[in-house]
Amino acid sequence: MERPAFVFDGDCAFCSSCARFIERRIRPDADVVAWQFADLDALGLTEEQVSSAVYYVAPGRATGGPVAIADLLGRARQPWRAAGAILGLRPVSALAWPAYRWVARNRHRMPGGTAACALPPNHPARTA
């Protein structure tokens, strides 16, 4: 792996819109890639993991959810780097997890989201 990777759900319109924002506005020093086009084995991730959360993968490190977002922001220019440092603080990221899980479960209702974004009723992320 030459550069870190930020892995998102390319089948989700809301997630894809967020990924485009990341690429255009935040411009981190990382590859932003839909998990459907990523070599999950090479990244050390499973389909179950990436279908329920975004992931940031760098050599020796793989993080998910808001921690992954904090890691990604840490690879960007200011003011995004400062935002990543704040989000990466343990109390802040602990508070961010419930909000992240709610967005993940309801991403089909978000702007740009479609019914294809909805998690199946029996998906593990629904109970998390």
Side-chain angles (χ1 to χ4, degrees):
M1 175 190 310
E2 292 179 26
R3 286 173 20 122
F6 184 75
V7 184
F8 70 97
D9 185 354
D11 282 340
C12 174
F14 174 72
C15 300
S16 295
S17 294
C18 292
R20 283 191 303 275
F21 178 86
I22 289 166
E23 291 177 316
R24 280 191 308 235
R25 303 283 187 216
I26 298 174
R27 297 191 306 244
D29 183 22
D31 294 325
V32 179
V33 61
W35 71 260
Q36 291 85 350
F37 301 107
D39 183 349
L40 295 181
D41 289 336
L43 293 172
L45 299 172
T46 66
E47 189 173 329
E48 184 177 343
Q49 287 174 302
V50 296
S51 66
S52 62
V54 297
Y55 272 82
Y56 176 84
V57 181
R61 180 171 173 82
T63 55
V67 179
I69 296 167
D71 288 344
L72 175 78
L73 293 173
R75 302 278 304 189
R77 65 189 192 288
Q78 294 296 354
W80 302 109
R81 185 174 294 166
I86 293 167
L87 181 57
L89 296 173
R90 192 173 301 263
V92 177
S93 65
L95 291 172
W97 268 108
Y100 181 87
R101 286 187 189 108
W102 184 88
V103 169
R105 281 191 308 269
N106 294 284
R107 60 190 181 193
H108 61 288
R109 295 184 178 121
M110 299 294 169
T114 65
C117 304
L119 294 174
N122 60 347
H123 193 281
R126 283 218 170 271
T127 59

